[in-house]
Amino acid sequence: MTNSSKSTLSRGITALVFLALVFVPVIGSRAMVQDLFMVLTLLVLALNWNMLAGFAGLVSVGQQAFVGIGAYAMFGGVILWGWDPLPAILLGGVAAMFLSLPIAFFTFRLNGAYFAIGTWVSAEIVRLSVAQWKALGGGTGTSLPKGTTKDMFGVPQIKDLLGVSSSAAADALTYWLALGLAVVTLLAGYVFLRSRMGLGLQAIRDNVEAARSVGVDPLRLKALVFVLSAFGTGLCGALLFIQITRVSPDAAFSVVDWTAFVIFITVIGGIGTLPGPVVGVLVFYILQRVLADYGTVYLIVLGLIGIVIMLFARKGLWGMFTEKTGIELLPLRHKSLQRSER
């Protein structure tokens, strides 16, 4: 089978998987819908972090700042201004985007490990500041008003269409939003990286001085990616906490849940590749299901797997799979380069 045939087959399988995911709320249990919702939101977070670290060379350990501010902005829109949660999701994305500007202003003066520490410290400052927001519960947090998710735009229509309860209809709606956000994030990343700016971004990652010598502005491109990734992460944070329905500073700004796990997913799947986070989130979900009952052993196993992957499969599971099979999904190389390699 030629590489072209393999790619066509893999695209067909991908399309079938997508269709199956669309119909999960129709044919699957509510528990399955909730589980896959978490998988999809983690995938969105991983895709955004991968764009930063894998393509822009910005290893951030403070992405929880954008998850948290997105969640709190959404809660503020609902509780303080009476918005429906769905438009309040956009408010969460915009709030995260604006927050990224001062964070970028300070952290972009740092490099390497100092940048990573700077983003983490920035996230902690935001967490401590939000904990003073008394209108949203201060340090203990708050919950969405009773019945808010059941009255969201679209929930009554889904309830009638599927013949389910309002709670199940709300789960289906947030699941479809998460699926749509994951697909849009993946495809938008592909289109961007195939563009002239995306090519410049990858050149910066490989050699900053060489990229600058051909007219690429590293600071401008990295800042653009940082702001756009913050927007996507903020949207995801707002969507996550619509499903959770309760927010607190510790939960919304959790470095383990929204950054450490995301880094693990990206690294084992294949950092610097678009399908890598997809593979990584599937492995993470399987490990979570199998090892969740073993307490701290679960975290130890995750750490050991991450170390093994970094030592023996630097390109991650997807990179290793591509090398063995020749199958490439969403290739980022330009046609002229692909032809010259043949």
Side-chain angles (χ1 to χ4, degrees):
M1 184 181 289
T2 64
N3 287 343
S4 177
S5 299
K6 290 178 182 178
S7 296
T8 302
L9 177 62
S10 59
R11 290 192 192 100
I13 294 172
T14 301
L16 290 175
V17 170
F18 173 73
L19 286 175
L21 288 173
V22 169
F23 285 99
V24 164
V26 180
I27 60 177
S29 65
R30 187 178 174 190
M32 180 185 291
V33 171
Q34 292 173 340
D35 283 350
L36 289 178
F37 170 82
M38 291 304 298
V39 169
L40 290 168
T41 49
L42 282 174
L43 174 58
V44 172
L45 296 178
L47 288 168
N48 281 286
W49 189 84
N50 185 43
M51 186 64 69
L52 283 177
F55 295 102
L58 298 171
V59 182
S60 170
V61 190
Q63 292 303 97
Q64 66 273 16
F66 306 125
V67 174
I69 203 65
Y72 266 92
M74 182 274 293
F75 268 71
V78 173
I79 294 174
L80 303 180
W81 304 309
W83 288 22
D84 185 90
L86 294 190
I89 292 174
L90 288 176
L91 180 63
V94 172
M97 184 172 64
F98 278 104
L99 175 64
S100 71
L101 297 176
I103 291 178
F105 179 78
F106 291 107
T107 58
F108 273 38
R109 300 168 185 269
L110 307 171
N111 294 309
Y114 296 103
F115 174 83
I117 294 170
T119 56
W120 175 72
V121 170
S122 298
E124 285 299 294
I125 292 172
V126 177
R127 180 182 69 84
L128 293 171
S129 301
V130 169
Q132 309 307 312
W133 196 353
K134 301 300 182 183
L136 293 181
T140 58
T142 188
S143 300
L144 287 174
K146 187 176 181 180
T148 298
T149 56
K150 296 178 182 179
D151 296 330
M152 285 190 299
F153 293 148
V155 169
Q157 291 77 12
I158 294 173
K159 177 183 176 182
D160 294 338
L161 179 65
L162 301 182
V164 295
S165 66
S166 296
S167 297
D171 286 343
L173 177 58
T174 53
Y175 168 82
W176 279 323
L177 288 173
L179 178 60
L181 184 57
V183 171
V184 168
T185 303
L186 183 62
L187 294 180
Y190 176 70
V191 171
F192 176 77
L193 290 169
R194 293 279 295 175
S195 70
R196 189 172 180 179
M197 285 194 297
L199 188 61
L201 185 68
Q202 294 173 76
I204 293 169
R205 177 194 61 187
D206 296 335
N207 191 315
V208 175
E209 295 305 322
R212 188 179 283 117
S213 69
V214 293
V216 177
D217 185 343
L219 181 62
R220 187 173 125 191
L221 263 182
K222 286 185 175 184
L224 176 64
V225 172
F226 192 76
V227 170
L228 292 178
S229 294
F231 177 72
T233 302
L235 288 177
C236 190
L239 183 57
L240 266 165
F241 280 86
I242 285 179
Q243 174 71 274
I244 297 170
T245 72
R246 177 170 179 78
V247 71
S248 69
D250 289 342
F253 294 89
S254 171
V255 65
V256 174
D257 291 338
W258 315 129
T259 298
F261 285 159
V262 166
I263 293 174
F264 173 82
I265 287 167
T266 309
V267 168
I268 64 169
I271 190 170
T273 67
L274 284 176
V278 179
V279 175
V281 80
L282 292 176
V283 173
F284 177 78
Y285 174 68
I286 293 169
L287 291 173
Q288 194 176 49
R289 298 292 292 178
V290 172
L291 302 173
D293 295 334
Y294 294 94
T296 55
V297 175
Y298 158 61
L299 296 175
I300 293 171
V301 172
L302 289 183
L304 289 174
I305 291 172
I307 291 170
V308 170
I309 293 294
M310 285 187 285
L311 288 175
F312 301 104
R314 294 292 182 90
K315 295 182 180 179
L317 295 176
W318 178 255
M320 186 169 60
F321 173 79
T322 300
E323 287 180 352
K324 298 288 185 183
T325 63
I327 295 175
E328 279 191 276
L329 287 177
L330 304 176
L332 298 177
R333 292 178 300 170
H334 287 251
K335 290 182 179 180
S336 58
L337 178 58
Q338 291 173 337
R339 286 172 183 166
S340 66
E341 290 180 352
R342 291 173 188 168

